[in-house]
């Protein structure tokens, strides 16, 4: 779910929102909502009677934390990429005019 939010929100926010701070904040809010929802879903699955739980009891899920942190960082990179491409496009339009 966090990967979907990152792919669908990060680049468009960077491209269409003029303020970098506003784009990063909007992405962080969307990502953190999805992160909490996904973590709750996976934790409840692990506590139930699932045959294949997301987390094993007694183990701290370091791999889950590393992957979600990396996804968060990639999202900020996509926001920055969208912002740079929008700025380049705006400069190109100004030069042509």
């Amino acid at each position: 779910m966090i990967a979907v939010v990152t792919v669908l929100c990060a680049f468009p926010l960077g491209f269409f929102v003029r303020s970098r701070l506003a784009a990063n904040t909007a992405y962080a809010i969307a990502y953190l909502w999805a992160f909490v929802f996904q973590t709750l879903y996976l934790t409840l699955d692990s506590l139930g009677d699932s045959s294949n739980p997301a987390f094993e009891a007694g183990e701290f899920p370091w791999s889950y934390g590393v992957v979600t942190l990396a996804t968060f960082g990639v999202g900020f990179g996509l926001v920055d990429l969208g912002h740079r491409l929008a700025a380049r496009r705006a400069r190109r339009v100004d030069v042509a005019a």
Side-chain angles (χ1 to χ4, degrees):
M1 177 172 229
I2 57 172
V4 171
V5 167
T6 298
V7 169
L8 293 179
C9 294
F11 183 79
L13 281 169
F15 193 80
F16 293 115
V17 177
R18 189 169 230 168
S19 168
R20 189 182 303 248
L21 177 64
N24 281 327
T25 303
Y27 166 68
I29 289 169
Y31 175 88
L32 292 174
W33 174 85
F35 174 75
V36 169
F37 185 84
Q38 176 177 301
T39 302
L40 178 64
Y41 181 80
L42 292 174
T43 302
L44 291 176
D45 180 52
S46 297
L47 295 175
D49 293 332
S50 177
S51 62
N52 190 14
F55 306 124
E56 295 294 329
E59 293 181 24
F60 190 77
W62 288 106
S63 59
Y64 177 70
V66 169
V67 169
T68 55
L69 183 63
T71 306
F72 198 43
V74 166
F76 281 120
L78 287 172
V79 170
D80 187 54
L81 178 65
H83 192 74
R84 288 175 191 250
L85 289 178
R88 182 183 299 170
R89 186 169 187 250
R91 280 194 305 267
R92 209 177 285 163
V93 168
D94 287 342
V95 170

